[in-house]
Amino acid sequence: MSRPEELAPPEVFYNDTESFKYTSSTRVQHIQAKMTLRALELLNLEKEQPHFLLDLGCGSGLSGEILTEEGYNWIGMDISPSMLATGLDRDVEGDLFLSDLGNGVPFRAGTFDAAISISAIQWLCNADTAGVDPKKRLLCFFNTLYSSLRRGGKFVAQFYPMNDSQTEAILGAAKVAGFGGGLIIDDPDSKRHKKYYLVLTAGLSERTVNLTGATMEAPVMNKKVNKKLLRKMESGKDFINRKKETMKRRGKKVALDSKFTGRKRRPRF
Amino acid sequence: MKFLTTNFVKCAVKGCQSSTESFPLKYSDCQLVQEEQEYNPEFLVHMLERLDWNAVIQVARDLGNDSLPPTKPDSLDPIMEEDQAVLKDLHTLLVETQIVEGRMTCNNCQHVYHIKNSIPNFLLPPHLC
């Protein structure tokens, strides 16, 4: 399936027909509900206490409905008027805002206990109009989000990065804004069901995020291997290729590389 | 948009972020609607501590209500019988009162945000981004 992010800006892509299709599809509803519940699980909020949440990229309120069901009060923000109109028709509980996340979150400091975002922030990595810098937009978004969260507030965002550089840009911007935390990948082995969750905390929190079931992946350390040991381990073919490379670099005449390079001459020959 | 939300929303323009004038916004030409909502005293008490009461009074005055007490009601208990009346009033004001149509103006940059169908429009023109 092609990525909607590559087709058009969000406010154009999610027009009336597309928002209707999106909201009425039971498959989408199911996936959204599952991801929202997973995000809430990661947030690890106290069940007994009331909370005030922000839903970024709420769309037609599919995720918001789950929040209401779970007993949270929330405010939703989205850039697509059609999606919000669909949300109004569906009579969602939370307040809806028509707003561009890349221009920041217009709430005063310490408003929210937590924030979630389902399948939205990858849109921020696109430059939809001339003179727009995705990096600046990401930074503006994370900066304002940081200040609108209570100290110790948490933010969990499920998103679909196009490539590693997008993930890096998002993580980098979050770090610059002052967030602590990182990335959790659910089902890392399955290409279809792989889901990325950005899990961030603003300041220290007495209740940390719920990381049960997540395996920590430390960056693979490239230990410097002894050169002598490396030479010992290399095969005959590697040896020949290495020698040919050095000779080529010195300007010597070297036989062309082929599939026969480094092969033995059998007696049949 | 619920009345409660007015106590948190501020101007989205970048230049106004450090200004104290950008909150609360000035509300004018507003159409209000009372919509019945579930009464949740725990949530009200939870939100009460982070409310800016001066802003509540100011916005209420913008919307034509001068009868609010000048100090914030505090140490309310959601279980106590005698606090129920105050909490019910707060519930009616903060949660059930909703702005359907209207305008919000930033006191710092004078930018006007419109509320339509109870959805405020915070999209900024390119020169303000």
Side-chain angles (χ1 to χ4, degrees):
Chain A
M1 208 177 85
S2 68
R3 294 172 58 87
E5 291 84 6
E6 288 168 5
L7 300 177
E11 65 273 31
V12 178
F13 179 78
Y14 288 113
N15 52 17
D16 288 340
T17 48
E18 199 62 41
S19 357
F20 177 75
K21 250 182 7 196
Y22 190 89
T23 314
S24 54
S25 154
T26 44
R27 186 179 145 268
V28 171
Q29 281 173 7
H30 181 71
I31 297 177
Q32 289 271 320
K34 220 167 94 185
M35 293 192 298
T36 312
L37 288 171
R38 173 69 177 135
L40 285 174
E41 185 189 12
L42 286 168
L43 275 181
N44 194 24
L45 299 168
E46 297 94 331
K47 271 271 166 218
E48 315 79 49
Q49 279 182 30
H51 291 280
F52 198 40
L53 264 58
L54 177 65
D55 186 356
L56 297 153
C58 61
S60 49
L62 286 176
S63 46
E65 263 177 359
I66 306 284
L67 294 182
T68 309
E69 266 173 40
E70 297 286 314
Y72 299 112
N73 291 71
W74 55 278
I75 288 182
M77 287 170 63
D78 205 279
I79 196 175
S80 157
S82 308
M83 275 293 209
L84 292 176
T86 319
L88 271 189
D89 291 343
R90 284 152 46 83
D91 243 351
V92 291
E93 287 284 320
D95 274 345
L96 301 174
F97 273 69
L98 177 64
S99 165
D100 184 359
L101 295 183
N103 290 340
V105 181
F107 295 99
R108 73 180 167 91
T111 302
F112 299 102
D113 296 303
I116 68 162
S117 161
I118 305 295
S119 321
I121 55 174
Q122 73 272 8
W123 288 98
L124 288 174
C125 298
N126 294 3
D128 292 327
T129 47
V132 165
D133 183 4
K135 227 178 202 167
K136 266 189 198 151
R137 283 164 55 81
L138 272 173
L139 210 57
C140 177
F141 165 67
F142 278 113
N143 275 330
T144 48
L145 178 65
Y146 187 94
S147 64
S148 75
L149 285 176
R150 193 174 53 86
R151 282 318 70 151
K154 286 170 276 192
F155 172 51
V156 172
Q158 182 278 327
F159 66 112
Y160 294 110
M162 188 160 65
N163 46 36
D164 284 350
S165 67
Q166 285 199 348
T167 320
E168 242 161 67
I170 289 174
L171 278 171
K175 196 176 244 177
V176 169
F179 281 107
L183 198 66
I184 284 190
I185 305 176
D186 278 5
D187 284 327
D189 302 326
S190 157
K191 207 171 175 191
R192 272 189 64 191
H193 301 292
K194 197 173 182 178
K195 292 281 182 300
Y196 290 80
Y197 291 89
L198 185 67
V199 182
L200 302 172
T201 46
L204 280 178
S205 158
E206 60 266 34
R207 239 176 112 91
T208 49
V209 290
N210 175 15
L211 291 179
T212 43
T215 45
M216 286 294 163
E217 194 184 346
V220 184
M221 288 284 272
N222 271 333
K223 212 177 143 196
K224 236 188 166 175
V225 189
N226 199 331
K227 225 177 191 176
K228 242 183 194 164
L229 199 79
L230 229 143
R231 288 208 179 159
K232 224 177 182 175
M233 273 158 51
E234 81 182 344
S235 67
K237 196 174 176 179
D238 286 340
F239 173 79
I240 292 171
N241 279 334
R242 184 163 56 83
K243 282 293 175 195
K244 279 174 93 172
E245 201 61 43
T246 12
M247 287 306 146
K248 238 186 263 172
R249 238 182 292 132
R250 285 183 194 163
K252 295 263 167 66
K253 210 177 156 201
V254 179
L256 290 171
D257 288 332
S258 79
K259 66 172 181 179
F260 300 108
T261 311
R263 280 202 194 170
K264 236 180 199 154
R265 201 167 274 199
R266 301 282 167 197
R268 189 158 50 105
F269 180 73
Chain B
M1 189 170 87
K2 294 189 183 74
F3 188 96
L4 180 68
T5 313
T6 64
N7 205 268
F8 298 111
V9 76
K10 64 172 192 174
C11 183
V13 176
K14 218 172 196 176
C16 292
Q17 255 160 34
S18 51
S19 163
T20 49
E21 294 283 300
S22 63
F23 172 82
L25 299 168
K26 195 173 155 39
Y27 292 78
S28 49
D29 302 332
C30 287
Q31 265 178 43
L32 301 180
V33 146
Q34 289 285 337
E35 196 175 301
E36 208 158 297
Q37 299 278 336
E38 203 183 322
Y39 174 56
N40 185 350
E42 283 88 14
F43 174 68
L44 281 173
V45 172
H46 180 69
M47 293 314 287
L48 199 59
E49 61 191 64
R50 69 183 72 170
L51 280 187
D52 184 335
W53 194 254
N54 290 333
V56 172
I57 292 175
Q58 198 176 325
V59 173
R61 198 174 296 138
D62 284 347
L63 299 177
N65 181 350
D66 284 327
S67 58
L68 290 183
T71 53
K72 181 151 105 177
D74 54 353
S75 63
L76 293 175
D77 199 315
I79 312 158
M80 297 298 273
E81 224 19 80
E82 58 259 37
D83 293 341
Q84 290 301 317
V86 183
L87 281 171
K88 278 258 165 66
D89 284 348
L90 279 173
H91 174 70
T92 321
L93 174 73
L94 297 173
V95 184
E96 293 190 332
T97 309
Q98 309 207 351
I99 304 174
V100 185
E101 307 272 331
R103 284 188 304 165
M104 304 184 273
T105 317
C106 172
N107 289 321
N108 192 39
C109 66
Q110 307 305 326
H111 186 72
V112 180
Y113 301 94
H114 291 272
I115 307 175
K116 279 200 180 116
N117 287 327
S118 78
I119 297 182
N121 182 349
F122 269 83
L123 294 178
L124 295 174
H127 67 277
L128 285 174
C129 294

